Amino acid sequence: MTDDEYERRVIDVLTSTHPGWYYEQRDLPGLPRWWATRYYPLRPDQRKAGARDVLGRTTLHGLVRALARHDKILHDLRY
């Protein structure tokens, strides 16, 4: 399996497990490579608890971990 195939499979899994996000890869110098953007805005209490509308990480694995932490924040708020 090539790196591109692996990345596509991970994005497919993220899309099915975290469907409220749009995923994209950006190759811009000095910025994170992998991005997840929420389709719907968060409430003020969710933002205050640490949830974000956009997550960016340099690696796909880092984005997966960030989404898991984000889910925990919302779960703790009973979202």
Side-chain angles (χ1 to χ4, degrees), residues 7-79:
E7 289 171 352
R8 184 71 251 159
R9 286 187 182 191
V10 172
I11 293 297
D12 288 344
V13 169
L14 286 176
T15 301
S16 66
T17 57
H18 303 277
W21 298 83
Y22 169 75
Y23 302 97
E24 65 182 322
Q25 176 185 356
R26 299 181 202 158
D27 289 322
L28 299 171
L31 292 176
R33 182 175 183 199
W34 294 98
W35 294 85
T37 305
R38 290 185 57 85
Y39 285 119
Y40 304 103
L42 294 164
R43 298 184 321 247
D45 64 317
Q46 294 168 326
R47 284 193 186 93
K48 187 176 180 180
R52 299 290 175 253
D53 291 306
V54 178
L55 299 172
R57 297 295 183 270
T58 55
T59 66
L60 191 51
H61 182 70
L63 185 61
V64 170
R65 288 192 327 251
L67 285 162
R69 284 190 304 272
H70 192 274
D71 279 354
K72 180 167 178 5
I73 290 169
L74 295 180
H75 175 77
D76 290 348
L77 289 173
R78 309 272 191 263
Y79 177 69

